[in-house]
Amino acid sequence: MATKNQCFQVMLKSLVPQRATDLYRVIADQLSPFHIECTLENQLTGEAPILFLLDTDAAEEQEQVMLREMIEQERRVIAIHAAEKKLPFYKIWHLVSMGVEDVLCFRNPAQFGQLIKSRLERWTVVDRMLHSDRVKQTLIGSCPKWRTTLRQIIEMACFSDAPVLVLGESGTGKELAAQLIHDLDPRRDKQALVILDCTTIVPELSGSEFFGHEKGAFTNAIANRDGAFTLADRGTLFLDEVGELPMRLQAELLRVSQEGRYKRVGSNIWRQAQFRLVCATNRNLEQEIEQGHFRQDLYYRLSTCVVRLPPLRERRLDIPELAAHFMSKLFKTETPPSVDPEVMSFLMTHEYPGNVRQLRQIITRMAYRHTGSGPLTIGDIPPADRQSMSFTEHTWQENGFKDAIRHAIADGIGLKEIKRIASDVAMDIAIEDAAGNLQEAARLLEVSDRLVQGYLAEKRG
């Protein structure tokens, strides 16, 4: 946790530099008693959080461009409203939807310093945990989108005991996320993590799986048995693929999660169980509710805290790190074989409907084929996996590209405009695949950083 009287730094920034200069001393004096050093933007480098002064006279589009640039650099931004006129709610909501952490009013200086300090303390704890071995060795990856997801998980785990619903496609790491939530849970008397896969529950024995049973409660009940609720008492119960639960069990789960009381099958004695409930699903539960397959009241109970794990296609920059992690496990060494650039290009462009799990399987198959002490080469890629490589290499032009050009020509679009549009689309795709990292986007396109920066600035202008 944050230490007492810990010192923090923040940067004061505005679209109109003179406005930041005019208010700098007033804001700095308010923050100083809380051990927060406030500096102007030209006096501090690094990753200090930014206090961004909104200006009613400034062009709103220009403010948004500046805010997006800071947020894309993973800077934490608090927007400060110092004007007398109240800020419209729609604008506040838009700022938050862009990624601004909070929007605070400076008209009440007495509360201002404490609000800033409390947020800085929270962020410090979360970021410290983000870089800890407990997190880095559980959920591998460091691209911006993945770090944002990890911060959400850490905050839920460390500062709440509420139920957590983990959403994501198959193979995105939902069970690992549940393990991390349990691991970071600060309860002093924390007990075990109990995992129950809802897809494997036999309907006839579902009551026993959850509640346990008494000896003789049914045929083959030859001894007392503890169910998941008993085993998870004072610990964490993880229900994997909770969307597969039949409606009857959904009702019973709702009751136990609310009251913490249940009976074993064949018993009249009420038992108590207190546990943190973490659920995961690859289903769209809101859609399941509309179709009558999932209880709405249970959904609201489970979704107090919600985190969505992004698919691998949205975090391709993590593929080299994930590949190195899997290889170190497979080769049981801290220095596994290196990977030829051609192989890494294959891994980076491969389609992963099975997400990280599929990447691990591909790496495993390559490791089994690998011989000698040299790097992994194209020859280590199994024949079945090479099909996608040859498709990407030789026929990308045929994958709708010719049809798009043909339609453009038919619509009277000239070669110059076609080239411009193709270039813009390539830029957009590279920036998206690089998760907003402009240097990485430039590397993917084999162009200069300045060219990508210029394209983005022109597009936003």
Side-chain angles (χ1 to χ4, degrees):
M1 307 303 284
T3 58
K4 187 177 181 180
N5 295 333
Q6 181 175 0
C7 294
F8 300 99
Q9 286 185 321
V10 294
M11 177 193 296
L12 188 63
K13 190 177 180 69
S14 173
L15 182 64
V16 183
Q18 185 59 44
R19 179 164 175 76
T21 303
D22 293 343
L23 285 175
Y24 165 67
R25 181 47 55 193
V26 178
I27 292 177
D29 289 345
Q30 288 296 324
L31 297 179
S32 180
F34 296 95
H35 305 280
I36 303 172
E37 178 189 359
C38 181
T39 59
L40 290 171
E41 60 180 295
N42 59 351
Q43 296 174 332
L44 181 68
T45 58
E47 299 180 355
I50 296 172
L51 306 183
F52 186 78
L53 283 169
L54 300 172
D55 195 316
T56 54
D57 296 328
E60 190 169 324
E61 290 185 3
Q62 291 179 315
E63 274 191 345
Q64 291 177 8
V65 168
M66 183 176 286
L67 283 168
R68 285 195 186 95
E69 289 177 352
M70 293 185 290
I71 292 167
E72 286 173 357
Q73 295 170 5
E74 290 191 88
R75 301 296 289 269
R76 292 187 183 272
V77 179
I78 297 177
I80 306 299
H81 178 56
E84 290 296 325
K85 187 178 179 182
K86 186 177 179 181
L87 198 65
F89 177 72
Y90 76 87
K91 184 170 183 178
I92 295 175
W93 189 253
H94 181 66
L95 290 169
V96 173
S97 66
M98 287 176 59
V100 171
E101 299 283 351
D102 206 346
V103 183
L104 300 181
C105 179
F106 191 64
R107 290 197 302 271
N108 189 348
Q111 295 180 355
F112 182 75
Q114 183 58 55
L115 286 171
I116 297 294
K117 181 183 179 182
S118 64
R119 280 150 181 76
L120 295 177
E121 288 176 338
R122 171 67 62 86
W123 296 342
T124 299
V125 173
V126 171
D127 286 344
R128 185 182 301 137
M129 196 67 69
L130 177 70
H131 294 97
S132 69
D133 288 341
R134 279 195 293 177
V135 174
K136 292 168 66 176
Q137 294 176 5
T138 303
L139 291 172
I140 311 299
S142 55
C143 79
K145 191 161 195 170
W146 190 238
R147 281 198 295 264
T148 298
T149 302
L150 291 178
R151 288 189 179 101
Q152 293 175 359
I153 293 173
I154 293 168
E155 192 164 21
M156 291 173 186
C158 295
F159 297 99
S160 168
D161 60 359
V164 179
L165 179 62
V166 184
L167 305 176
E169 297 176 8
S170 177
T172 51
K174 297 189 289 296
E175 185 173 328
L176 290 174
Q179 177 66 61
L180 184 61
I181 291 169
H182 174 74
D183 190 33
L184 298 181
D185 191 317
R187 285 176 291 173
R188 294 182 182 275
D189 61 344
K190 180 177 62 179
Q191 299 300 307
L193 169 68
V194 176
I195 300 174
L196 190 58
D197 186 349
C198 297
T199 62
T200 64
I201 296 176
V202 179
E204 293 77 11
L205 300 176
S206 58
S208 177
E209 289 282 356
F210 278 98
F211 307 110
H213 62 250
E214 298 291 323
K215 179 180 178 180
F218 50 84
T219 304
N220 296 328
I222 58 176
N224 294 341
R225 180 181 187 270
D226 288 334
F229 295 146
T230 302
L231 297 173
D233 189 25
R234 293 187 298 161
T236 303
L237 176 59
F238 174 52
L239 300 181
D240 197 11
E241 299 306 339
V242 70
E244 305 292 335
L245 278 181
M247 294 293 283
R248 179 179 63 82
L249 275 180
Q250 291 179 30
E252 293 173 346
L253 175 61
L254 175 65
R255 187 181 307 111
V256 176
S257 66
Q258 290 177 333
E259 302 172 3
R261 300 172 71 241
Y262 66 96
K263 292 179 182 178
R264 275 180 169 175
V265 177
S267 173
N268 292 320
I269 300 175
W270 286 102
R271 297 173 178 268
Q272 292 288 132
Q274 296 297 326
F275 50 81
R276 180 168 200 168
L277 185 59
V278 180
C279 299
T281 183
N282 59 14
R283 289 177 177 262
N284 184 332
L285 291 187
E286 293 181 343
Q287 191 175 80
E288 295 291 305
I289 291 170
E290 293 178 0
Q291 297 173 355
H293 299 154
F294 202 84
R295 292 180 63 104
Q296 188 175 53
D297 48 4
L298 178 59
Y299 171 74
Y300 289 132
R301 175 65 179 169
L302 303 182
S303 61
T304 305
C305 297
V306 180
V307 60
R308 175 186 174 272
L309 302 186
L312 189 56
R313 62 181 174 274
E314 294 180 9
R315 45 180 295 230
R316 289 185 180 272
L317 290 181
D318 285 336
I319 289 175
E321 190 174 348
L322 287 163
H325 171 74
F326 295 142
M327 287 176 61
S328 66
K329 296 291 184 183
L330 291 164
F331 288 93
K332 296 180 174 58
T333 175
E334 293 183 0
T335 56
S338 60
V339 178
D340 270 359
E342 295 80 10
V343 177
M344 186 55 68
S345 295
F346 162 72
L347 294 175
M348 292 292 289
T349 57
H350 192 75
E351 294 299 324
Y352 295 98
N355 294 294
V356 179
R357 183 183 294 122
Q358 184 180 357
L359 171 63
R360 183 180 61 200
Q361 292 170 343
I362 291 175
I363 297 293
T364 300
R365 292 194 289 270
M366 292 172 60
Y368 289 155
R369 289 175 58 88
H370 182 66
T371 59
S373 58
L376 267 69
T377 64
I378 288 290
D380 291 319
I381 300 176
D385 293 316
R386 295 177 190 173
Q387 295 177 6
S388 60
M389 177 176 62
S390 60
F391 178 87
T392 303
E393 177 71 19
H394 299 295
T395 62
W396 64 269
Q397 300 98 326
E398 303 290 340
N399 191 22
F401 187 76
K402 280 189 175 180
D403 288 339
I405 299 298
R406 184 174 286 110
H407 284 302
I409 294 173
D411 289 340
I413 299 175
L415 181 60
K416 184 177 180 180
E417 183 67 6
I418 290 173
K419 286 181 177 180
R420 185 192 66 78
I421 294 172
S423 175
D424 289 354
V425 170
M427 284 281 192
D428 290 338
I429 290 173
I431 293 170
E432 181 181 340
D433 287 351
N437 185 321
L438 302 189
Q439 288 184 330
E440 176 62 18
R443 188 194 68 79
L444 292 173
L445 293 171
E446 298 182 356
V447 298
S448 68
D449 298 356
R450 185 180 296 275
L451 186 64
V452 179
Q453 293 168 358
Y455 165 76
L456 205 57
E458 183 180 349
K459 181 178 179 181
R460 289 170 176 172

